[in-house]
Amino acid sequence: MIEISVPSLIVAIQAVRRQADAERAQLEAMDEDDEDAGDLSVSLSDLEKTLNELRGAYDKARGEGYDLPPSGSLFL
């Protein structure tokens, strides 16, 4: 299994979340028939899957005894 430090995991979660939020806002601002909407939708889906995996790793670290706040508090 790949190992990552908790601070790196936190930064990754925050960065992916910000990117997902930016892409979601961009997608919502697009016309439905915009030819780039499909690609952006796929990218957003991939970011959301990644975010779920990162949250799972974070929650696992919390469950293993790391003194960490709930993952919801990471989103500033």
Side-chain angles (χ1 to χ4, degrees), residues 19-45 48:
Q19 183 64 34
D21 288 346
E23 288 191 16
R24 186 175 298 105
Q26 186 178 359
L27 187 60
E28 289 172 358
M30 286 182 162
D31 291 330
E32 290 180 15
D33 59 344
D34 190 314
E35 61 187 49
D36 294 328
D39 291 339
L40 190 57
S41 181
V42 169
S43 177
L44 179 57
S45 177
E48 289 175 344

Side-chain angles (χ1 to χ4, degrees), residues 32-69:
E32 290 180 15
D33 59 344
D34 190 314
E35 61 187 49
D36 294 328
D39 291 339
L40 190 57
S41 181
V42 169
S43 177
L44 179 57
S45 177
D46 290 344
L47 286 169
E48 289 175 344
K49 288 176 188 174
T50 300
L51 187 57
N52 285 334
E53 289 179 20
L54 291 169
R55 282 182 183 160
Y58 183 88
D59 290 339
K60 182 178 178 184
R62 286 189 73 215
E64 291 177 354
Y66 287 92
D67 185 24
L68 301 168

